[in-house]
Amino acid sequence: IISIHAGAGNIHKQWTTQGFVKIADWLASKGCQVIFVGSGRDLEKIKAIMTRLSHEAHNLGGSLSPGELMALFHMSSLFLGNDSGPMHLAAVLGTPVVALFGPTAPWRTGPYGSRHRVLRMERDCSPCFQQNCETIECMTTIEVADVLRAVVEQLDKE
């Protein structure tokens, strides 16, 4: 089971829809059960991803209680997502995490520990901690190949 949270409280902290599509499709093609999670405000992005997938995935966005989300993370082999509340919850519960960071600083907010992997692109403007940006280069330039490599490395550890 791979839990994916494509949303975040701020759109500027979100990786690309197409990036999540490619990773989710690859994972599902390898036999992983891909489950998208998030709040009701994440449903539009989850639906945009789900309509582009070639393989089966599940959308539990907006439907899980906090306890159910915790149970899912306990059953998950990996959590993939942006800097967000669900990412921090997965990390605290000990689920291996691949976290995508842009305008915020992982050295300040985690996830902490050797079971987790942070990906971010070095930019002169990042971390800026801003909630508006015209280019969002810090998120849009995170490469699918780098995320896939981190996901595979994390899964190989387990």
Side-chain angles (χ1 to χ4, degrees):
I1 297 174
I2 309 296
S3 295
I4 298 179
H5 181 239
N10 180 331
I11 194 164
H12 297 92
K13 292 169 60 174
Q14 296 182 20
W15 192 41
T16 65
T17 297
Q18 190 58 31
F20 280 112
V21 168
K22 288 180 179 180
I23 299 296
D25 254 341
W26 186 86
L27 287 165
S29 78
K30 300 300 179 190
C32 295
Q33 188 173 20
V34 176
I35 300 175
F36 285 91
V37 298
S39 68
R41 68 178 174 215
D42 298 321
L43 287 176
E44 188 175 317
K45 182 152 187 172
I46 295 170
K47 287 176 185 173
I49 293 166
M50 298 286 291
T51 60
R52 292 174 172 91
L53 292 175
S54 301
H55 296 84
E56 183 181 14
H58 306 280
N59 177 1
L60 295 182
S63 67
L64 299 177
S65 70
E68 291 168 331
L69 187 62
M70 290 170 62
L72 174 63
F73 290 165
H74 275 297
M75 294 185 297
S76 296
S77 298
L78 181 77
F79 173 93
L80 168 64
N82 304 304
D83 175 20
S84 64
M87 180 275 297
H88 291 291
L89 179 60
V92 165
L93 292 171
T95 304
V97 167
V98 173
L100 309 174
F101 274 74
T104 54
W107 54 89
R108 287 177 56 179
T109 59
Y112 303 114
S114 61
R115 295 193 75 185
H116 312 304
R117 178 84 184 272
V118 171
L119 295 177
R120 66 180 296 272
M121 297 303 294
E122 292 292 330
R123 293 286 180 258
D124 290 339
C125 57
S126 176
C128 66
F129 303 99
Q130 299 299 312
Q131 294 192 13
N132 55 22
C133 175
E134 291 182 24
T135 65
I136 320 173
E137 279 185 25
C138 58
M139 292 303 290
T140 60
T141 57
I142 295 174
E143 296 287 336
V144 170
D146 293 333
V147 175
L148 184 57
R149 188 175 309 108
V151 164
V152 169
E153 288 171 3
Q154 289 296 88
L155 289 172
D156 284 347
K157 283 184 188 178
E158 294 305 309

